[in-house]
Amino acid sequence: MTFDVVVLGATGFTGRLACEYLAQRAQKGDVKPVSWAMAGRDLQKLEGIKGELPEVAKEVPLLKVDVKKIEELKEIAKKAKVILNFAGSPYADKALPVVEACASNGCCYVDITGEAPFAKTSAELYDAKAKETKSLILHMCGFDSIPCDIAAFMVAKEMRKRYGMGCSGIHMLTTDQENAEAWKDPYGMDPPGGLRGPDRCDGGDTNLPRWDELNERWVMMSPLSNPSVRTVRRSNALMGYEYGQGLSYGEGMAVPGPVSGWLGTTAMGMVVLSLALFPTRWALQRWVLPAPGQGPSRKTLEEGYFTVRTVGRGEKEVDGKNPTVAAQVQSGSGGDPGYKCTALMAVESALCCALQRSACAEGGVHTPASGLGQTLVDRLNDAGMKLFVEP
C-alpha cells in the first residue's frame, strides 16, 4: 500500500494537530481525497491518538518506525510520496536519517524545524542525491519561516510584475553542533557560491529598536528572525537572485514606540541569557517551558492569530523615487501560529508535493518559497489563511 503522506512523530503535540487537520480535511466534500498514515515508535500511543480523531480517521493505518533505524525509515519512504516529519526538538540529532531515507528513495520530505545548522547540514549531505532521485526536501515549513519566506516571495514577484525590477530591500514586521556558524552568519544557509549581500545582522541594517521607514512603525528585533531571515536569503539564492542581487532583508516586531522597543529588547536579552546559563535554563525547563508533547489550551489554539506585513523597496527609481510593494500573510482561520497554524502550513506544504508535484521544484533541498512558491500561496488561501499583495 502507498500513501500520499505519512505523518512521522504523530504522538507529539504538533504531530497530533497535523493528524487532526488531515482528518477534518477528509470530512469536507470539496477537497481531493488524501491517503495518509500515522507513524512512530509506539503503536499503543498512536492508537490512542487515532482514537481521539474524527470518525473518518478510524481506518488510518499505523506504522511502527524508529527514527534511529535507517532501514525502517527506508521502508516507509518506499511507501510514501511525502514524509511529514514532526519527530524533532531538536531535529539535529534525529532527522538526518529521515532525510537520507527520503532522498535515497525519491520520497519528498517536509518538516517544521527552525534549526539553521541542521538545514545547512541537510543540504550539504543530501542535496545532490535528492536532485538525482527528484526528492524534494523542504525544511522550515512552520511559523518559524513560512510567513516571512512566502511574503518575501509575493513581494518580489509583484515588484517584477508592476515595475520590472528586483528589490534593494525587504523588511518584515512582526550551540555547539555541526554548522553552528549558520546561527551567526546572516547568509549561513546560502548554497555554496552564494553572492551574499549587504546585511550584517538579522534586522537588515540593525538589530536595535528603530524607526522602520518602509512600514512607518517603530520596531524591535523579532524573536523568530534567526531561522527565517536565512530562509528568505537562501530562497533568493536558489531562485537565481530573482528578488535582487544586492538585496538587504531584515525583520522586526512592531512596538508602540522607542521606550517599549528598548524595554522589549532588554527583556528578550534577559530571556536569552537565562536560556544560556544552566541553572536558569534548568529552572525554565522544569517549571515554565512546556514539556515534549505539551502545548497550549484548545481555547488558545483556536483564538490565536498572527499578521505578518512585508514591504519591499525597488532597486531602481521610478519618477524620482524607489517604488514599494507590500504583502501580508495572516493566520485567518488557522489559529495559534506556533502550533495549530504551523500544523496547517506543514500539512499543506506536504500536500503540494503529494497532490501537485509537477507544480513544485524538481528535486533537492529547498525552502518553502523556492520549492513550492505560488502553489503553496494558493493552498494556504484555500485552507483559510489570508495571503495577499496590498493594492
Side-chain angles (χ1 to χ4, degrees):
M1 183 176 184
T2 59
F3 305 99
D4 291 319
V5 178
V6 170
V7 180
L8 180 61
T11 58
F13 192 84
T14 311
R16 296 201 301 268
L17 291 174
C19 293
E20 183 179 298
Y21 178 78
L22 280 164
Q24 292 172 344
R25 182 186 181 280
Q27 292 177 312
K28 301 177 181 178
D30 60 343
V31 296
K32 187 174 181 179
V34 172
S35 61
W36 62 287
M38 300 165 62
R41 60 184 178 182
D42 191 326
L43 288 178
Q44 187 174 354
K45 285 186 178 180
L46 288 172
E47 192 66 57
I49 299 300
K50 188 170 78 166
E52 299 172 358
L53 299 177
E55 183 69 13
V56 71
K58 67 179 182 179
E59 301 299 331
V60 170
L62 305 181
L63 308 176
K64 181 177 174 59
V65 60
D66 188 333
V67 296
K68 295 181 180 179
K69 296 180 179 179
I70 186 64
E71 293 306 318
E72 290 185 9
L73 290 169
K74 287 183 178 180
E75 286 303 310
I76 297 294
K78 291 175 183 177
K79 300 175 182 178
K81 292 182 181 178
V82 186
I83 290 181
L84 175 52
N85 184 21
F86 294 100
S89 300
Y91 279 85
D93 64 356
K94 300 179 182 73
L96 284 175
V98 189
V99 177
E100 179 186 352
C102 290
S104 299
N105 290 278
C107 175
C108 295
Y109 171 95
V110 172
D111 69 31
I112 59 169
T113 185
E115 302 164 38
F118 159 69
K120 184 177 178 65
T121 300
S122 171
E124 289 178 349
L125 294 177
Y126 302 115
D127 182 63
K129 185 63 176 179
K131 287 176 178 174
E132 177 187 326
T133 63
K134 294 181 170 50
S135 165
L136 183 54
I137 309 297
L138 296 167
H139 303 298
M140 312 283 187
C141 290
F143 179 63
D144 278 350
S145 296
I146 276 187
C148 68
D149 194 33
I150 289 298
F153 165 82
M154 294 164 64
V155 162
K157 181 179 178 181
E158 188 68 13
M159 185 69 75
R160 293 283 182 189
K161 178 181 176 182
R162 290 186 191 178
Y163 304 106
M165 68 177 75
C167 299
S168 64
I170 296 179
H171 196 275
M172 189 198 86
L173 197 60
T174 183
T175 66
D176 185 17
Q177 63 186 109
E178 187 176 9
N179 279 316
E181 71 278 3
W183 286 123
K184 303 175 183 179
D185 183 357
Y187 297 86
M189 282 175 55
D190 275 22
L195 300 179
R196 302 178 70 85
D199 294 333
R200 296 295 177 267
C201 62
D202 294 343
D205 54 355
T206 179
N207 279 334
L208 300 178
R210 62 185 176 85
W211 176 258
D212 178 32
E213 62 178 30
L214 282 178
N215 285 286
E216 298 183 334
R217 293 288 301 271
W218 276 94
V219 299
M220 60 173 278
M221 183 176 66
S222 168
L224 296 176
S225 62
N226 191 291
S228 55
V229 295
R230 285 149 184 73
T231 303
V232 172
R233 291 166 187 152
R234 178 174 172 83
S235 293
N236 189 30
L238 290 175
M239 290 189 281
Y241 296 94
E242 181 68 18
Y243 300 178
Q245 286 193 2
L247 175 72
S248 172
Y249 177 84
E251 294 186 5
M253 184 168 64
V255 292
V259 175
S260 55
W262 281 105
L263 289 173
T265 300
T266 302
M268 191 182 301
M270 293 176 66
V271 170
V272 171
L273 181 62
S274 297
L275 290 171
L277 301 175
F278 175 77
T280 49
R281 182 172 69 249
W282 178 87
L284 287 171
Q285 291 173 334
R286 178 67 175 82
W287 288 296
V288 179
L289 299 176
Q294 294 182 339
S297 67
R298 177 58 63 174
K299 183 175 186 291
T300 299
L301 289 174
E302 299 298 335
E303 296 181 359
Y305 66 93
F306 70 86
T307 295
V308 165
R309 184 173 188 264
T310 299
V311 184
R313 178 190 289 116
E315 59 188 357
K316 301 175 185 177
E317 289 189 355
V318 176
D319 297 329
K321 64 178 182 179
N322 297 81
T324 60
V325 171
Q328 292 192 34
V329 175
Q330 301 177 3
S331 52
S333 60
D336 172 76
Y339 292 93
K340 187 169 183 282
C341 202
T342 281
L344 181 158
M345 289 185 281
V347 170
E348 292 298 339
S349 296
L351 293 180
C352 285
C353 300
L355 305 181
Q356 298 172 273
R357 187 65 185 88
S358 62
C360 307
E362 193 171 58
V365 180
H366 277 266
T367 64
S370 69
L372 306 176
Q374 189 63 40
T375 307
L376 181 58
V377 174
D378 295 340
R379 290 201 70 91
L380 294 180
N381 273 321
D382 290 343
M385 293 179 64
K386 297 179 179 179
L387 295 79
F388 59 92
V389 175
E390 295 179 5

